[in-house]
Amino acid sequence: MTDHVEHLEFQAETHQLLELMIHSVYSNKDTFLRELISNASDALDKLKMEAYRDKDLEADTSDLHIELAVDHDARVLTVRDNGIGMSRAEVVDLIGTLAKSGTAQLRKQLLDAKTDAAAEELIGQFGIGFYSTFMVADKVTLTTRKAGESGGTRWESAAGESTYSIEDLDEAPQGTTVSLQLKPADEDDHLFDYTMEWKLREIVKKYSDFIAWPIRMTVERTVMDGEGEDKTEKTILETQTLNSQKALWTRPKSEVTEEEYKEFYRHVSHAWDDPLETIPMKAEGTFEYQALLFLPSHAPFDLFTREHKRGVQLYVRRVFIMDNCEELMPEYLRFVKGVVDAQDLSLNVSREILQQDRQIRAIRKRLVKKVLSTVKDLRNAEDQEKYQTFWKEFGRVLKEGLLSDTDNRETILAVSSFASTHSTEELTSLPQYVERMAEGQSAIYYMTGESRQQIENSPHMEAFRAKGLEVLVLTDPVDEMWVGSVPEFDGKPFQSIAKGEVDLETEEEKQASEQLREQQEKDFADLLGWLQQTLDASVKEVRLTARLTTSPACVVGDVFDFTPMLERMYRASGQALPETKRILELNPDHALVTGLRDEYAKRKDEEDKSALAETAELLYGTAVLAEGGELKDPAHFARILADRLTRTL
Ligand code: ADP
Ligand code: MG
C-alpha cells in the first residue's frame, strides 16, 4: 500500500445533501441496499460488454456476481461486485461529487419543505443513489479497481465530515467493494439491523429480485453434530443466491406483480418514484423484440438541461448493450424509461451502426406509436387523474414533438391539453375546443405570451371577449415554436389573435358597418399618414381596427412575424435577429384616438408638432407594454409620461 492519502473537500452542495441524508428524513432506509445492488449490477453489465468489445481486456468474467457479507460483531455490511470498477479519477468524479444536475434546486426545495413528508417526496423524486448509504452508516469505505488497471483506489468518508479521503492501492480485487460501518439499529426510525441475514434476504427479494446477476450471501450455519447429550457444534459456511434473476421483460404481464415492475422501473431509470404507466411490448415477425417501457410519474430535475440523458436501455438477446440508447427514442419522448431487447442485432452493434440500422428505426417507430397510444388511452380514460399528472409533468416536452415528428402530429395534437379562455381552471383538448366553436367560426384562435394574466389583459383579447369567442392561452416557450409550423387541427387552421387582421364580423354586420368604415377611413386618413411618418422607426403600418373595444391602440404582427416572446427567446439564445417592425392599430371609437385626430387637424400646419409627436409615442409605447413587449427606450418613455402627468396635477 502506498502512503499517499489525500483528503478532499466535498462540493458544498454535495456536503449539504449528505447532511440531509445523515439526519435523514427519508423513512424508507432499506432502499440503500437497492441502490448499492443497482450500481453493482450496472458495473457487471458494463464489464461484460467491455470484455466483449475488447478481447484484450484483462478481466475475469467467468463468475460475475454480487456478494453480500456481514460481520455481526463489527457491525459491518459489505456489498461487493467483480464488475468494471472505477479509476481514481472516476471515484473523485462519480463518488466525490453528487454529479446530478438539479442538486442545488433540490437542496433549496428541501430546505423550504415544510413537512417531512414533503421532504421525503422530494428525495423520492430526485433519487440519491450511492449517498443513500449514509442513511444507515456512520462510515462508508469503497475499494475499487478498474478492469484492466493494476492498482486500485480506496475512498472513505465518515458521516458529518466535510471531506473524504482517497488513497491509491497497489492491489485490489477486480470490481468494487462497499463496506458500511452500520449505525446502531433503531426500529422506531425505520433503521433496521442490516447485519441480520433475514433482513437482507427480505430487502433483496423485495427490491432486487429481477437483477440479472446472482446476488449471493455467505451465511454461517451452526449445526449439531453427534447425538444425545454429547453434542458438539459445527459451523459451516454456505452461499445462497437470493434473487431469481428473471428478466422481467421476458415474462408475461400476468405473471409479474406491480411491485416487481415498480422496482425494475427504479433500477433502469435510477429514479425513486413510481411509474405512472407500465408498457410491456412484444413483437414477432420480421424484427423480433421485447420491450418494457415506463412513463414516470415525476419529471426529473434535469429534463430541460443539456446533461439530461435520454433513451432506453438496449439489450440484445438478454445481453446488456448500452444505457440511454437515443436511437430508440426521439427527443420529445426523452422522459420514457425502460428496456428494449432485440433478437436479431449483433452484440457488436455500435452507436454509429445503430444510427443507420433499419431494424432500430423500425423498432423506434413502433415504440413511439405505442407510447403515444398509451397516452391516448390515459386521455380517454374515465378517470383523468393519470392523464393530468402526465400532462403536468411532461406536456411541455411532448409538445416538442409537434415540431419534430410530423408523422405523429395528429396524434400528439389529439392528446394535448391547453389552457383557454373557456375555463381558468381546466385545460381543454382540441376536440373539445372544436366542439364549442361558434357558428361561422372557422379558425382555432390562440394567443401566445408569458403568462395567462398578460394574455387575458392584452388589448388583442378585447373583441374576442366581447364576442364570446374562445381563445387558447399558450404560455409555454415551446408553444411559440409549434404554432408557427402546425397548420391546422381537424381542418381548422390555427390563428393568432395578435397577428394579421381580425375579421370577426358576419356578412350582415359587415354590410351594416361598411358605410361607417368608409367614413372613418376618410376621417382618419390624415392622422394615419402623419403617425406613420412620425413612428416610422418602430412601425411599418398604422391602421384602424375593429378588434379593440376599450383600449385606444394595440400593436400586432404580420402573420409570419416573430412574436415579442419568440424574439426574446432567440435573443436570449444569442442569435442575432433583424428588427421586426410591428403594425399599430387604432380604435376609432376611443376618445384618445378621436382627440388626437381633432388635435392634429387643428395643428397640422404648425411648424412645431413635438407635443403631438409625444402623444403619438405614448400611444405606441403603451400598446407595446400592454402586449408584453419591451420598449426600445424605456427611460425616454418614462420621462415624457412623467411630464404629462405633472401637467395633469
Ligand atoms: P447513478 O447510479 O444514478 O448514476 P449513483 O450515486 O448510484 O448514481 O452512482 C454514481 C456513479 O458512481 C454511477 O453512475 C457509477 O458510474 C459509479 N458507481 C457507483 N457504484 C459503482 C460500482 N459498484 N461499480 C462501478 N461504478 C460505480
Ligand atoms: Mg445508482
Side-chain angles (χ1 to χ4, degrees):
M1 203 180 292
T2 56
D3 55 0
H4 184 59
V5 184
E6 251 190 284
H7 292 271
L8 299 177
E9 288 277 332
F10 280 115
Q11 207 189 10
E13 272 152 17
T14 309
H15 179 62
Q16 280 160 334
L17 263 187
L18 266 174
E19 285 291 306
L20 282 161
M21 279 302 101
I22 293 160
H23 309 288
S24 179
V25 293
Y26 199 73
S27 60
N28 196 356
K29 297 188 172 51
D30 293 358
T31 47
F32 81 93
L33 189 57
R34 165 188 84 194
E35 294 302 314
L36 289 180
I37 290 174
S38 177
N39 287 348
S41 166
D42 291 347
L44 294 166
D45 285 340
K46 284 180 199 156
L47 178 60
K48 172 112 184 245
M49 200 55 232
E50 204 47 45
Y52 187 86
R53 290 221 176 97
D54 175 4
K55 300 285 182 237
D56 300 328
L57 184 70
E58 270 184 50
D60 179 4
T61 57
S62 59
D63 181 29
L64 297 178
H65 67 278
I66 300 163
E67 189 183 322
L68 309 183
V70 291
D71 182 334
H72 296 275
D73 300 329
R75 295 200 50 71
V76 172
L77 167 65
T78 301
V79 178
R80 187 176 294 129
D81 68 69
N82 52 355
I84 190 87
M86 283 175 273
S87 66
R88 181 194 167 104
E90 282 170 335
V91 173
V92 173
D93 230 37
L94 301 167
I95 302 293
T97 36
L98 222 167
K100 285 187 181 168
S101 45
T103 311
Q105 194 193 346
L106 172 74
R107 196 186 64 80
K108 199 184 156 307
Q109 292 187 16
L110 274 176
L111 293 176
D112 291 346
K114 294 274 181 301
T115 59
D116 282 1
E120 180 149 333
E121 188 176 321
L122 279 170
I123 291 176
Q125 265 179 29
F126 187 76
I128 313 287
F130 178 77
Y131 284 110
S132 58
T133 48
F134 283 97
M135 297 193 294
V136 300
D138 285 325
K139 193 173 76 182
V140 178
T141 310
L142 175 145
T143 309
T144 185
R145 178 164 66 83
K146 175 128 186 163
E149 291 183 3
S150 59
T153 306
R154 181 186 359 244
W155 178 98
E156 188 168 272
S157 182
E161 284 178 8
S162 61
T163 61
Y164 58 89
S165 69
I166 192 155
E167 182 182 356
D168 294 334
L169 305 173
D170 289 337
E171 43 189 60
Q174 171 186 315
T176 302
T177 302
V178 179
S179 289
L180 308 180
Q181 177 68 59
L182 296 166
K183 290 185 190 180
D186 174 2
E187 300 205 356
D188 290 341
D189 191 28
H190 305 276
L191 184 61
F192 298 96
D193 183 353
Y194 300 108
T195 64
M196 301 302 284
E197 278 132 19
W198 68 266
K199 184 68 197 170
L200 299 179
R201 197 174 294 127
E202 180 194 87
I203 300 177
V204 170
K205 204 72 204 156
K206 180 163 176 201
Y207 295 118
S208 312
D209 191 57
F210 55 81
I211 293 288
W213 306 103
I215 304 169
R216 294 181 194 145
M217 183 161 62
T218 313
V219 294
E220 284 180 18
R221 221 157 50 89
T222 306
V223 294
M224 301 301 179
D225 205 17
E227 280 166 18
E229 288 166 20
D230 193 23
K231 50 186 170 182
T232 46
E233 287 184 356
K234 190 173 150 197
T235 302
I236 44 175
L237 288 174
E238 67 179 52
T239 303
Q240 304 175 353
T241 299
L242 307 184
N243 57 328
S244 73
Q245 290 170 253
K246 281 192 207 135
L248 228 63
W249 61 89
T250 61
R251 291 162 57 189
K253 192 173 182 173
S254 56
E255 285 170 25
V256 183
T257 67
E258 197 152 325
E259 206 50 44
E260 285 176 297
Y261 275 137
K262 211 186 260 186
E263 289 309 331
F264 182 71
Y265 158 75
R266 289 177 175 154
H267 172 62
V268 287
S269 66
H270 298 244
W272 286 37
D273 62 342
D274 290 346
L276 185 73
E277 204 60 19
T278 301
I279 314 169
M281 292 175 72
K282 190 175 159 86
E284 274 149 7
T286 342
F287 300 132
E288 222 172 284
Y289 65 89
Q290 284 173 311
L292 181 53
L293 303 181
F294 299 95
L295 304 181
S297 54
H298 283 289
F301 281 82
D302 61 355
L303 195 56
F304 287 94
T305 65
R306 255 178 242 279
E307 296 94 72
H308 181 79
K309 294 201 181 72
R310 85 177 135 106
V312 293
Q313 288 189 342
L314 174 64
Y315 280 69
V316 172
R317 294 183 294 282
R318 297 202 47 193
V319 176
F320 171 82
I321 305 294
M322 67 177 71
D323 256 329
N324 315 119
C325 181
E326 298 184 352
E327 290 72 18
L328 282 171
M329 213 38 89
E331 193 147 351
Y332 78 96
L333 296 180
R334 59 183 175 274
F335 50 85
V336 176
K337 301 291 175 192
V339 169
V340 172
D341 190 348
Q343 274 304 307
D344 311 313
L345 286 177
S346 148
L347 287 174
N348 263 328
V349 72
S350 66
R351 296 237 166 205
E352 292 67 42
I353 294 173
L354 282 179
Q355 280 159 17
Q356 321 285 338
D357 193 85
R358 227 160 53 86
Q359 186 174 168
I360 286 287
R361 270 208 298 271
I363 295 176
R364 167 179 159 137
K365 217 169 155 166
R366 294 281 304 275
L367 299 183
V368 169
K369 289 250 186 277
K370 182 75 184 176
V371 169
L372 291 177
S373 76
T374 304
V375 176
K376 199 168 174 177
D377 290 344
L378 294 182
R379 180 78 178 106
N380 295 333
E382 189 75 45
D383 181 358
Q384 284 290 287
E385 198 181 320
K386 274 191 180 179
Y387 172 76
Q388 280 164 6
T389 304
F390 172 81
W391 192 255
K392 178 165 76 64
E393 298 292 319
F394 303 113
R396 282 191 299 164
V397 186
L398 195 77
K399 281 190 283 183
E400 291 172 15
L402 292 172
L403 273 165
S404 56
D405 188 356
T406 39
D407 287 349
N408 290 300
R409 189 176 267 171
E410 279 302 307
T411 317
I412 301 172
L413 279 177
V415 302
S416 291
S417 287
F418 306 91
S420 109
T421 53
H422 177 68
S423 160
T424 48
E425 267 114 58
E426 274 170 42
L427 302 180
T428 182
S429 69
L430 290 175
Q432 286 165 340
Y433 179 102
V434 168
E435 222 178 272
R436 283 190 298 266
M437 275 169 62
E439 222 181 278
Q441 178 182 349
S442 55
I444 297 171
Y445 297 117
Y446 71 87
M447 182 167 167
T448 58
E450 269 164 9
S451 69
R452 179 172 193 116
Q453 196 186 13
Q454 181 215 320
I455 290 173
E456 286 199 326
N457 293 334
S458 95
H460 307 107
M461 199 60 106
E462 289 171 13
F464 289 83
R465 191 175 299 119
K467 295 219 170 238
L469 291 169
E470 181 175 351
V471 178
L472 298 181
V473 174
L474 306 182
T475 53
D476 288 332
V478 61
D479 291 330
E480 293 280 352
M481 317 297 279
W482 72 260
V483 284
S485 52
V486 176
E488 54 156 60
F489 172 75
D490 193 17
K492 319 279 185 299
F494 288 97
Q495 191 183 326
S496 167
I497 66 163
K499 283 180 170 183
E501 306 229 27
V502 284
D503 178 8
L504 300 178
E505 291 182 331
T506 61
E507 277 309 311
E508 292 101 81
E509 284 172 325
K510 256 183 223 149
Q511 275 167 9
S513 60
E514 194 161 349
Q515 233 182 334
L516 174 67
R517 205 189 323 271
E518 274 172 21
Q519 188 59 43
Q520 283 174 337
E521 296 289 348
K522 260 191 236 140
D523 290 352
F524 285 89
D526 279 359
L527 176 70
L528 296 185
W530 174 76
L531 279 174
Q532 178 85 68
Q533 267 179 4
T534 311
L535 298 172
D536 184 53
S538 318
V539 303
K540 59 181 165 196
E541 191 187 339
V542 184
R543 66 187 181 210
L544 298 180
T545 185
R547 84 169 90 212
L548 299 172
T549 58
T550 48
S551 299
C554 68
V555 283
V556 298
D558 263 339
V559 179
F560 296 109
D561 282 352
F562 279 43
T563 63
M565 179 156 143
L566 195 56
E567 237 178 57
R568 263 203 297 283
M569 278 162 51
Y570 270 88
R571 296 226 160 86
S573 71
Q575 302 192 49
L577 279 184
E579 193 89 31
T580 34
K581 288 189 184 184
R582 318 291 312 280
I583 297 163
L584 178 66
E585 292 192 340
L586 302 182
N587 176 356
D589 298 323
H590 196 282
L592 178 56
V593 178
T594 51
L596 190 60
R597 176 196 60 194
D598 300 344
E599 208 46 34
Y600 177 74
K602 265 194 255 163
R603 297 173 180 230
K604 71 174 173 199
D605 299 323
E606 285 177 20
E607 192 63 34
D608 179 14
K609 286 199 268 296
S610 58
L612 271 181
E614 276 180 9
T615 310
E617 198 179 329
L618 286 173
L619 186 68
Y620 169 71
T622 38
V624 169
L625 289 176
E627 176 193 49
E630 274 165 26
L631 296 172
K632 256 188 250 132
D633 189 352
H636 182 245
F637 181 84
R639 199 163 52 241
I640 54 178
L641 185 61
D643 275 355
R644 287 293 169 97
L645 289 174
T646 313
R647 268 181 261 157
T648 66
L649 293 174

